[in-house]
Amino acid sequence: MSRIGKAPIAIPAGVKVTVDEKTNVVTVEGKNGKLSQAVHPDLKVTVEDNHVYVTRPSDDREHRAQHGLFRALIHNMVEGVHQPYRKEMELVGVGYRATATGQVLELSLGYSHAIYIKLPPEIKVEAKSERNKNPLIILESSDKQLLGQVCAKIRSMRKPEPYKGKGIKFVGEVIRRKSGKKAGAK
């Protein structure tokens, strides 16, 4: 049996989980919003004494894979509506800037033009610029999946390069550096 799939999901105080039996849609409501996820039709989701259980009908390869996946997705929804997920991104490079105006993020990344990214309403964005420090972009959302997709999109605008380390990276991420021309010369 799947170790992840068989683990029950504890429901924290202030979070409400409902399961629609007909459509097999799980809805999670909390202080930070409301999320819903359609579950594989073969899996069964039950809510008993402040725990959510996901069960599968057989040990087929497909059922085992879906079992762990949907348990993890439901767990992320429960955690997200209770305590929102937060990602911090750092802009490393001379002249790199970020400004947030409402749901629009403006990036200056060394191109001939500024890049404007319109963010979904579920994501809160904040841009910080302090003197002698790299600019920061702070993203917060209750939907972990959406937050990851938006972070990947922002990072794809200027990925960190291995020689100087310039680009958009997550705070705390370690970029493997290459030495360049001088290493090969003898």
Side-chain angles (χ1 to χ4, degrees):
M1 197 160 184
S2 169
R3 291 183 183 198
I4 293 172
K6 70 180 178 181
I9 303 166
I11 302 173
V15 176
K16 182 181 165 199
V17 179
T18 55
V19 181
D20 184 6
E21 297 293 330
K22 285 186 213 169
T23 57
N24 218 18
V25 173
V26 177
T27 305
V28 181
E29 281 186 82
K31 63 180 178 187
N32 293 313
K34 179 179 178 181
L35 299 171
S36 55
Q37 173 69 46
V39 179
H40 192 277
D42 293 343
L43 299 179
K44 187 175 182 205
V45 180
T46 55
V47 180
E48 297 170 7
D49 15 293
N50 285 342
H51 284 82
V52 179
Y53 298 94
V54 181
T55 54
R56 65 175 187 244
S58 70
D59 278 341
D60 290 347
R61 185 180 179 92
E62 175 74 14
H63 289 153
R64 286 192 317 239
Q66 300 297 331
H67 190 208
L69 168 73
F70 283 106
R71 188 263 177 208
L73 290 176
I74 294 168
H75 179 262
N76 289 343
M77 291 186 339
V78 169
E79 291 294 313
V81 296
H82 182 63
Q83 181 70 37
Y85 291 100
R86 181 184 172 102
K87 295 268 188 181
E88 294 182 3
M89 302 179 89
E90 185 177 14
L91 280 69
V92 180
V94 177
Y96 287 10
R97 289 188 316 275
T99 53
T101 311
Q103 289 302 105
V104 177
L105 182 65
E106 180 186 351
L107 300 172
S108 297
L109 301 173
Y111 295 117
S112 61
H113 58 283
I115 299 169
Y116 296 93
I117 301 172
K118 186 162 180 7
L119 300 172
E122 296 89 8
I123 292 185
K124 293 179 190 143
V125 64
E126 182 185 346
K128 285 186 180 177
S129 285
E130 293 181 26
R131 193 175 176 95
N132 297 327
K133 287 191 178 180
N134 292 328
L136 287 177
I137 302 170
I138 300 165
L139 300 164
E140 204 172 274
S141 176
S142 58
D143 191 347
K144 188 176 187 180
Q145 211 168 342
L146 180 66
L147 183 65
Q149 284 179 332
V150 169
C151 286
K153 180 72 176 170
I154 292 170
R155 183 184 163 103
S156 72
M157 297 299 160
R158 181 73 91 172
K159 286 188 178 173
E161 52 96 18
Y163 296 102
K164 292 183 179 177
K166 290 171 58 174
I168 302 174
K169 68 179 192 119
F170 292 104
V171 172
E173 179 183 6
V174 177
I175 306 297
R176 289 188 62 190
R177 303 289 292 272
K178 292 182 179 179
S179 57
K181 284 184 185 179
K182 64 185 174 203
K186 288 187 179 184

